[in-house]
Amino acid sequence: MTEREELIQRAAELVPVLRQRAALAEELRRIPVETIDDLRAAELLRATQPVRFGGLGHDADLVFNLAAELGRGCGSTSWCYAVWANHNCIMGMFPEPAQEEYWAESNDVLMSTGFNPAGAQLTPVDGGYDISGQWDFASGCDDAGWVVVGATGPEGPLLLLVPKSDYTIGDTWFVSGLRGTGSKDIIIESAFVPIHRSLSMRDMGSAQTSGRRVHGTVNYRIPFWSFFPFTLASTTLGMAQGALEAFEMSIGDGVFPAGGGRKAEAPYIQMQLSEAAAEVWAASRIMQYDSQEIMDRAKQEEMPSLDDRVRYRRDQTYMTRLCVRAVNRLFEVSGGHALFDSSALQRYHRDIHAASHHVALHWGPVAEQYGRVRLGLEPTSHWV
């Protein structure tokens, strides 16, 4: 099996070419085929996929490190990678027949998702469900062979696995940031979903899915909301690190107009760079500390307490908050040339703001839940 460190090195080696293709990804409004081929050739998409279905079976937190590396080159690529790789790990939570059906034709199949159940119409029928509706923000859907959509069933929230033949894609993705993710709409007129292609989100939240029995690995002993948002937050860490690198490159030999001297010698620029670097470092430490703790507990068959779960959610959103602050800080002192399309910094600025708008990374609602629990109150959200 390919070692973790080698996979991280492979991701780092892709960064220069991802920087070169970042503008193309925005123009295409999807990830270039060449980039997907590179991710597959480097085995990054199968990093945490179950071994039984052709994956490398690494611990789930490896995706955080790989996404952070890729984000240094292209935010959209990092985001789609994180979605695809994480979802192939999630696929191992479904009932065994669904897993066999999903990987029947290829170990390299990709999955997109539309988690928001608001536009779904679900009707229980003999042997399963009839599903119709429209779901937005389906990142990487153009290159996915399946989609998982959210809906509310008689016993609570569900995820339903649907093949590409049963849905169409609505081209709605005209946005300011993360343009290359192709996060378009999924439209289902009417599709039958057999019961084995459904998954209880409550079971995911308590780490009691089929993956515990079918695969028996540490990845299926973790409450879903304790680790999934780190997958998305790790992309913002990569973008912030990429912005730091782009900033240093642009400032290095830069001079102020009218004989104002070298930009690198300006104290206010040095101070902003220092604080931004500290924010990125702190975000990285938060992610590494929490992810190690989560994996260690799972290996010991220990479920995190409510206090721990709300802390993980707090940290996922706070590290994102730190990364956004760092990029804002750098962008503000980058001068007028940072506004041009040719500047990588403006892309990182747009992309990280787009990422921070994801519902799983919103600071306010999560901070409220953490505060409630710390003050002895019950949480009012099931996303903990």
Side-chain angles (χ1 to χ4, degrees):
M1 182 173 70
T2 309
E3 297 295 331
R4 286 174 63 104
E5 293 74 17
E6 183 177 344
L7 291 171
I8 293 171
Q9 180 59 35
R10 290 179 187 178
E13 290 170 356
L14 287 176
V15 169
V17 72
L18 295 183
R19 284 178 178 147
Q20 294 173 5
R21 292 179 188 154
L24 175 61
E26 287 208 313
E27 180 183 344
L28 295 174
R29 293 183 301 114
R30 61 189 291 180
I31 305 304
V33 173
E34 297 85 352
T35 295
I36 299 174
D37 290 342
D38 287 341
L39 295 173
R40 282 179 168 145
E43 299 184 286
L44 304 186
L45 288 164
R46 294 188 292 114
T48 58
Q49 187 171 311
V51 172
R52 174 176 169 180
F53 296 105
L56 301 182
H58 282 291
D59 292 351
D61 66 307
L62 177 56
V63 170
F64 311 160
N65 295 280
L66 296 174
E69 280 296 326
L70 297 174
R72 293 170 46 225
C74 173
S76 289
T77 298
S78 174
W79 187 271
C80 280
Y81 165 75
V83 167
W84 288 328
N86 179 264
H87 289 173
N88 274 2
C89 183
I90 290 175
M91 189 59 224
M93 299 179 184
F94 274 81
E96 193 170 5
Q99 298 183 44
E100 293 173 345
E101 191 175 356
Y102 177 77
W103 277 298
E105 297 183 6
S106 172
N107 292 330
D108 288 323
V109 64
L110 300 176
M111 180 205 302
S112 183
T113 49
F115 279 139
N116 186 358
Q121 294 85 48
L122 183 74
T123 304
V125 295
D126 187 30
Y129 304 96
D130 182 83
I131 183 74
S132 60
Q134 186 160 345
W135 295 259
D136 49 10
F137 299 109
S139 299
C141 60
D142 287 304
D143 297 288
W146 296 74
V147 68
V148 163
V149 296
T152 302
E155 298 180 359
L158 296 172
L159 293 183
L160 304 169
L161 179 66
V162 181
K164 199 162 193 173
S165 57
D166 286 352
Y167 62 85
T168 58
I169 296 173
D171 191 2
T172 55
W173 195 242
F174 299 91
V175 291
S176 62
L178 292 180
R179 293 175 183 169
T181 62
S183 303
K184 303 170 184 176
D185 284 13
I186 299 298
I187 303 168
I188 301 176
E189 298 295 338
S190 177
F192 171 70
V193 179
I195 195 71
H196 70 265
R197 284 204 256 119
S198 65
L199 178 64
S200 163
M201 292 198 72
R202 289 176 179 167
D203 288 348
M204 295 172 72
S206 60
Q208 297 299 323
T209 68
S210 296
R212 256 188 121 98
R213 173 182 54 81
V214 175
H215 303 296
T217 66
V218 64
N219 292 344
Y220 301 101
R221 303 175 203 154
I222 307 169
F224 181 71
W225 292 111
S226 290
F227 84 94
F228 171 70
F230 273 124
T231 306
L232 304 179
S234 65
T235 71
T236 69
L237 177 60
M239 294 177 219
Q241 184 61 52
L244 269 172
E245 294 165 7
F247 179 83
E248 291 170 345
M249 187 176 300
S250 67
I251 293 297
D253 296 322
V255 295
F256 291 107
R262 293 184 62 218
K263 292 183 177 180
E265 294 180 356
Y268 78 93
I269 287 180
Q270 297 165 356
M271 293 172 66
Q272 293 293 79
L273 174 60
S274 179
E275 190 158 1
E279 287 165 333
V280 175
W281 182 87
S284 174
R285 294 304 92 195
I286 288 171
M287 184 181 80
Q288 297 298 340
Y289 179 90
D290 281 1
S291 60
Q292 185 64 57
E293 182 178 277
I294 290 168
M295 300 311 298
D296 286 346
R297 282 182 164 160
K299 289 172 184 176
Q300 297 298 320
E301 301 266 7
E302 178 186 340
M303 284 289 289
S305 66
L306 176 60
D307 285 347
D308 291 326
R309 296 201 309 273
V310 294
R311 172 168 57 87
Y312 297 146
R313 290 293 291 121
R314 178 203 68 185
D315 290 354
Q316 292 152 0
T317 56
Y318 192 68
M319 66 173 283
T320 299
R321 191 174 175 89
L322 285 172
C323 290
V324 171
R325 284 180 186 171
V327 176
N328 284 346
R329 196 179 305 284
L330 298 173
F331 192 69
E332 287 169 2
V333 295
S334 292
H337 286 99
L339 301 174
F340 285 84
D341 286 344
S342 58
S343 164
L345 193 55
Q346 56 80 27
R347 184 179 301 111
Y348 289 119
H349 186 255
R350 289 186 289 106
D351 284 351
I352 200 166
H353 275 273
S356 71
H357 281 234
H358 192 284
V359 65
L361 301 181
H362 281 188
W363 167 250
V366 172
E368 176 191 351
Q369 298 305 312
Y370 178 80
R372 287 184 62 86
V373 172
R374 282 297 297 262
L375 294 173
L377 304 173
E378 289 296 316
T380 57
S381 171
H382 65 276
W383 286 22
V384 294

